[in-house]
Amino acid sequence: MNTYLQMNHIRKSFDGNEVLRDISLTVAEGQVVSIIGPSGSGKSTLLRCATMLETMDAGDLIYLGQYAARDEGGRSVYAPPAELRRIRKDFGLVFQNFNLFPHYSVRKNITEPQMLAGRSREEAEAKAEELLRKLGLSDKADQYPCQLSGGQQQRVSIARALALEPKILFFDEPTSALDPELTAEVLRVIRELAKQHMTMIIVTHEMQFARELSDYIIFMEHGLIQAEGTPAELFATDNQRVRDFIGRFQA
Amino acid sequence: MSLLTVIGQLMSGMGMTCAIFFLTLLFSLPLGLVVALLRMHRNKVISVITRVYISIMRGTPLMLQVIVVYFAPYYVFRVQISQSYRFAAVIIAFVLNYAAYFAEIYRSGIQSVPQGQYEAAQVLGYSHSQTFLRIIVPQVWKRVLPAVTNEVVTLVKDTSLSFAIAEAEMFTIAKQISSKVASIWPLLAAGLFYYIFNLLVVLVCSRVEKHYSYYKI
């Protein structure tokens, strides 16, 4: 299986405060990887480094064999902007707060990025319609984000990301801003994507969900990977800290 | 002097008032955006220079600025001032002044757009200029409309400051007539014109605001 994402020895500090210390991870085609851990453990920063919303201090970032950043003498050196723009097409990101464009209708939120990527209006609209239908949002195409519930907004933002046909989809705590009922409707969508073998990296607090869905789980704390493995391995670990953390969430 | 002739003369001044008003808006609204961008520029030198400019424009009287712009060519460069420069001087001074105010309004608007909008645009493949023009500016425009309305209302009244260099707009004319006929009525009539002008301005601005109420930020 192809390696889609590889991060080697990532380091990142904010004002001398080390948030990521030597993190490495590999994600293969079709894999679902969950990143769990307490708040402030660095998992969101890791995701932001992977999606190039933060620049790493040190380490390699490699998408499908292409270096977005290469470690040279302990410092990350990024590829030229044009190449980064190409590499960005490999992944999509779903935000905790959706970040839909409020002045655009649902349809335009999904079509405009496609058209900027070079698709015709007809192609873009057909794609938007198809995705909205799949996500049960066909009747919302002409509405504005402010008219939708949080769960619907998050599904639109998933559709917006999928419309660009990314190879990897990142989720940054996709249900943290939602109540349990709306959480369920978003998780259903992610579960459906997993069935279709979408490669996904999910930062989440939903332990049961991570266990059920993931091929691999990473437990982070204090900027380090404290434990990692298949759900079966991780949920049966004798690492007391991991047991405590998982146990608290399951209770 | 009959009431009709007074009103007739005031109306001719109203034309000049409107010209100052619309030309100032036409140039200062876009220029304000440029100034706001320079103010937020990464380059410290550019940012500081812009900040000094804004500070001077906001910290000194507009009337003084009008006079300085009008007389500077003569006092500084010993260039003979032509008659036609009077109007240009008014417009230059007003545009420079109002662009500074609009810049500060735009800046606060730009800074109030959540960081997540930039991040979403970046991840979705928008370039910097596409992000700014398609995602940020429309939202900024909606956010700043109430503050811009305030400035526009002030501008209607500020046009009267061009009497300082005797530009023949409505207030200058009202003052002349008033002293000629020794009556307060021309001034009150001028006041009424400004008031009605501003009622219209507020009406138009609230229409525009309503137009953008189809979405919430």
Side-chain angles (χ1 to χ4, degrees), chain A:
Chain A
M1 238 186 288
N2 294 323
T3 300
Y4 268 14
L5 171 67
Q6 200 174 340
M7 298 176 86
N8 299 328
H9 308 293
I10 306 300
R11 286 177 188 281
K12 175 71 184 173
S13 314
F14 292 108
D15 303 321
N17 178 22
E18 251 198 323
V19 182
L20 299 177
R21 347 176 169 209
D22 196 18
I23 300 270
S24 298
L25 68 90
T26 304
V27 180
E29 180 178 357
Q31 248 191 339
V32 178
V33 175
S34 293
I35 304 174
I36 61 174
S39 305
S41 59
K43 54 194 194 304
S44 277
T45 304
L46 177 62
L47 200 84
R48 292 174 59 81
C49 284
T51 52
M52 300 194 260
L53 294 174
E54 298 292 350
T55 52
M56 316 177 301
D57 296 337
D60 303 314
L61 175 62
I62 310 161
Y63 278 96
L64 293 104
Q66 282 198 305
Y67 278 82
R70 189 190 292 269
D71 193 292
E72 283 173 18
R75 273 191 54 234
S76 291
V77 177
Y78 279 82
E83 207 165 321
L84 292 183
R85 217 170 301 132
R86 246 192 337 271
I87 292 175
R88 276 200 192 94
K89 290 186 200 293
D90 290 337
F91 63 81
L93 170 60
V94 174
F95 295 87
Q96 181 177 351
N97 304 316
F98 331 132
N99 291 334
L100 292 173
F101 301 135
H103 56 307
Y104 285 171
S105 66
V106 165
R107 187 196 315 276
K108 194 165 180 191
N109 262 285
I110 302 173
T111 53
E112 190 174 82
Q114 298 180 64
M115 285 157 67
L116 293 180
R119 286 199 190 139
S120 72
R121 177 177 297 278
E122 291 70 32
E123 287 173 296
E125 286 189 351
K127 186 83 196 169
E129 231 135 88
E130 175 202 326
L131 284 166
L132 287 174
R133 197 176 55 245
K134 274 189 189 159
L135 299 184
L137 293 162
S138 289
D139 52 332
K140 307 292 181 197
D142 294 312
Q143 299 202 348
Y144 286 84
C146 64
Q147 298 170 289
L148 306 180
S149 74
Q152 290 166 339
Q153 289 191 48
Q154 192 59 297
R155 282 186 283 153
V156 172
S157 88
I158 292 172
R160 182 173 70 167
L162 288 174
L164 296 171
E165 295 172 351
K167 298 215 167 57
I168 309 175
L169 195 49
F170 291 91
F171 292 85
D172 188 8
E173 304 193 20
T175 59
S176 295
L178 304 174
D179 68 31
E181 207 170 319
L182 300 180
T183 295
E185 75 183 48
V186 170
L187 294 186
R188 205 175 306 132
V189 171
I190 300 175
R191 204 171 281 136
E192 194 53 46
L193 290 171
K195 265 188 215 148
Q196 295 161 19
H197 305 292
M198 181 82 204
T199 310
M200 295 189 281
I201 298 164
I202 308 171
V203 169
T204 185
H205 287 301
E206 302 285 331
M207 290 305 141
Q208 239 359 81
F209 177 71
R211 180 181 198 170
E212 160 206 332
L213 203 71
S214 311
D215 300 303
Y216 202 77
I217 301 181
I218 292 170
F219 176 81
M220 278 182 71
E221 190 169 32
H222 307 308
L224 287 164
I225 293 177
Q226 303 284 359
E228 58 186 315
T230 63
E233 287 167 357
L234 207 74
F235 277 72
T237 181
D238 43 15
N239 181 328
Q240 194 53 44
R241 177 65 190 116
V242 180
R243 292 175 73 101
D244 285 351
F245 183 78
I246 294 172
R248 195 169 313 133
F249 270 91
Q250 280 177 322

Side-chain angles (χ1 to χ4, degrees), chain B residues 169-186:
Chain B
E169 48 67 57
M170 193 169 60
F171 179 70
T172 311
I173 291 177
K175 218 160 98 339
Q176 285 165 358
I177 304 174
S178 179
S179 50
K180 199 191 286 174
V181 300
S183 160
I184 197 153
W185 288 108

Side-chain angles (χ1 to χ4, degrees), chain B residues 62-77 79-93 162-167:
Chain B
L62 175 54
M63 197 198 292
L64 182 145
Q65 293 164 17
V66 170
I67 294 173
V68 166
V69 171
Y70 182 55
F71 287 111
Y74 180 69
Y75 285 135
V76 180
F77 305 109
V79 175
Q80 209 56 45
I81 299 171
S82 72
Q83 260 310 308
S84 58
Y85 179 62
R86 196 190 299 271
F87 180 65
V90 168
I91 300 301
I92 292 169
S162 43
F163 91 96
I165 56 170
E167 179 60 48

